[in-house]
Amino acid sequence: MSTLFTPLVLRSLEIPNRAWMSPMCMYSAESQGPDTGVPTDFHLAHLSDRAAGGLGMVMVEATAVRPDGRISPWDLGLWNARQEAGLARVVSAIRSHGAVAAIQLAHAGRKASVDKPWLGSRPVAPADGGWATVGPSAEPFHDHPAPTALTVEEIGQLVRDFAAAAERSLAAGFQVVEVHGAHGYLLNSFLSPAANHRTDAYGGSLENRMRFPLEVVDAVRAVWPEHLPVLFRTSATDWLSENADDAREGWTAEDTVRLAKELQARGVDLLDVSTGGMVHDASIPAAPDYQVPFAERVRQETGLPTAAVGLILEPAQAEEIVASGRADAVFLGRQLLREPYWAHRAAEELGGASRWPDQYGYAVARRR
């Protein structure tokens, strides 16, 4: 029997299988006017089709908790009722296909206000519809404008913004909420000494650098139902300490284990383990399974369930990761853009249960 196609239970939520869709930004929301940040027909078709593709969970892309938290002006948001209503429509479509509906809440920090990637991801100036960015320190990302260092009062407001967005997520019908603490965005930049040069209670020691992300987790967990899970996405390393020729200080795998223990104590139910994104020129040995060891280490050393991500392309590869206990689930990203019905192929190859929509399953059975 395929382990990939067995359910995973987090709190009282049963996720029908362990092949999940990773949040991937589509840069396709309205950028201005009353529908700013509201999902469009593209999002509805894109996300519902992946749910019809047989995945156990479909996670909506990084959704900003406030306007200046968007990566680009075309990102989704969840700071008002109009956005909540639009996302409720998406949730209904995902759940109608038997998949669990999840959302990733985010703030892009110093990497915000950029153009669409196919247009170069260049910084968008305020005069062109962008905005001034914020971060833990006035340390820019690569060639971006320097952000403004957040005050303690502003950090407190951001904690409340994450909690408010979580409440809206619940009202929209989401069953899982993930806090985005990876890829060099705001929470991740507070964690890493590569970006956080503060000297107050939010900088310096590891305990201090973890303070803001943990405050966000506490606030989200406080408004999220006890019976539903909260996830956290982390970058397990900045890929600086692994390179002997790079003298820069960064976040490490050892730091991630310590963070995982703190998250577990605060009611986080699964760690979504990615890597990188803090510095633009880190040397990253990208290859199939290259991030899986980080998920495996957290799982072994803390007991916290994990999901592995990154260049997971083939069903047998995904099956080995979960069957061997290296992670409890896998998130797939770009492969699902190439192959929306990957999970159905995987079920056939691995002997798992394929959950076709009735309208498709009848035709598929007849074709056989």
Side-chain angles (χ1 to χ4, degrees):
M1 181 177 180
S2 167
T3 305
L4 188 65
F5 285 91
T6 58
L8 179 65
V9 177
L10 297 175
R11 298 201 178 230
S12 65
L13 179 67
E14 182 175 283
I15 304 170
N17 64 50
R18 298 161 186 250
W20 303 344
M21 178 176 171
S22 195
M24 291 177 282
C25 291
M26 294 289 107
Y27 308 97
S28 298
E30 291 293 333
S31 62
Q32 56 188 342
D35 284 334
T36 296
V38 175
T40 63
D41 287 346
F42 173 86
H43 295 96
L44 180 67
H46 165 64
L47 293 162
S48 64
D49 194 43
R50 270 61 189 183
L55 300 167
M57 183 163 72
V58 172
M59 187 172 289
V60 173
E61 65 192 71
T63 301
V65 301
R66 52 192 270 175
D68 69 353
R70 294 171 293 167
I71 300 170
S72 81
W74 300 274
D75 281 17
L76 293 180
L78 193 45
W79 63 81
N80 65 40
R82 199 176 187 99
Q83 295 160 345
E84 178 188 314
L87 284 165
R89 183 170 173 241
V90 172
V91 168
S92 179
I94 292 171
R95 295 182 64 175
S96 72
H97 293 300
V100 166
I103 187 169
Q104 184 186 73
L105 300 180
H107 190 296
R110 65 185 190 149
K111 295 176 77 173
S113 190
V114 297
D115 210 341
K116 299 174 182 180
W118 54 89
L119 297 177
S121 296
R122 292 178 293 272
V124 178
D128 298 322
W131 53 89
T133 61
V134 296
S137 310
E139 176 74 25
F141 174 76
H142 187 31
D143 58 356
H144 293 203
T148 299
L150 288 162
T151 67
V152 171
E153 292 74 21
E154 289 169 333
I155 290 171
Q157 181 57 56
L158 277 159
V159 171
R160 293 188 289 273
D161 291 336
F162 270 92
E167 289 181 303
R168 290 192 181 278
S169 300
L170 182 65
F174 286 101
Q175 299 153 287
V176 175
V177 64
E178 177 173 90
V179 176
H180 195 352
H183 301 157
Y185 298 123
L186 185 63
L187 298 186
N188 188 213
S189 67
F190 267 80
L191 291 170
S192 175
N196 186 344
H197 303 152
R198 298 175 75 99
T199 57
D200 63 1
Y202 291 95
S205 68
L206 177 60
E207 179 184 9
N208 283 356
R209 286 184 278 114
M210 290 193 295
R211 191 180 308 277
F212 176 32
L214 293 178
E215 287 178 347
V216 168
V217 166
D218 285 342
V220 168
R221 185 73 266 181
V223 301
W224 198 248
E226 184 68 22
H227 66 283
L228 292 177
V230 171
L231 279 54
F232 189 94
R233 171 164 271 195
T234 187
S235 280
T237 176
D238 292 338
W239 292 108
L240 298 178
S241 63
E242 290 82 4
N243 183 358
D245 296 326
D246 198 325
R248 290 173 293 181
E249 185 182 10
W251 183 260
T252 68
E254 290 74 21
D255 295 333
T256 296
V257 171
R258 291 183 60 183
L259 174 64
K261 292 177 181 178
E262 294 292 337
L263 293 169
Q264 188 175 28
R266 286 165 167 79
V268 167
D269 302 286
L270 180 141
L271 192 65
D272 174 3
V273 185
S274 187
T275 64
M278 183 59 61
V279 297
H280 77 284
D281 58 348
S283 178
I284 301 176
D289 288 5
Y290 76 107
Q291 296 178 142
V292 177
F294 299 99
E296 182 178 14
R297 179 173 177 180
V298 168
R299 192 174 187 270
Q300 288 181 346
E301 296 188 22
T302 71
L304 181 65
T306 63
V309 306
L311 291 177
I312 298 171
L313 307 176
E314 293 300 326
Q317 177 190 7
E319 175 71 16
E320 189 280 330
I321 291 168
V322 295
S324 65
R326 303 180 75 195
D328 296 271
V330 295
F331 274 111
L332 294 97
R334 294 171 188 170
Q335 186 61 24
L336 293 177
L337 304 183
R338 304 182 189 100
E339 189 181 358
Y341 293 168
W342 183 95
H344 292 308
R345 175 168 72 87
E348 290 187 5
E349 292 183 10
L350 301 172
S354 189
R355 200 181 65 254
W356 285 97
D358 291 340
Q359 298 92 328
Y360 295 179
Y362 172 75
V364 169
R366 288 202 42 145
R367 184 167 57 85
R368 291 175 182 166

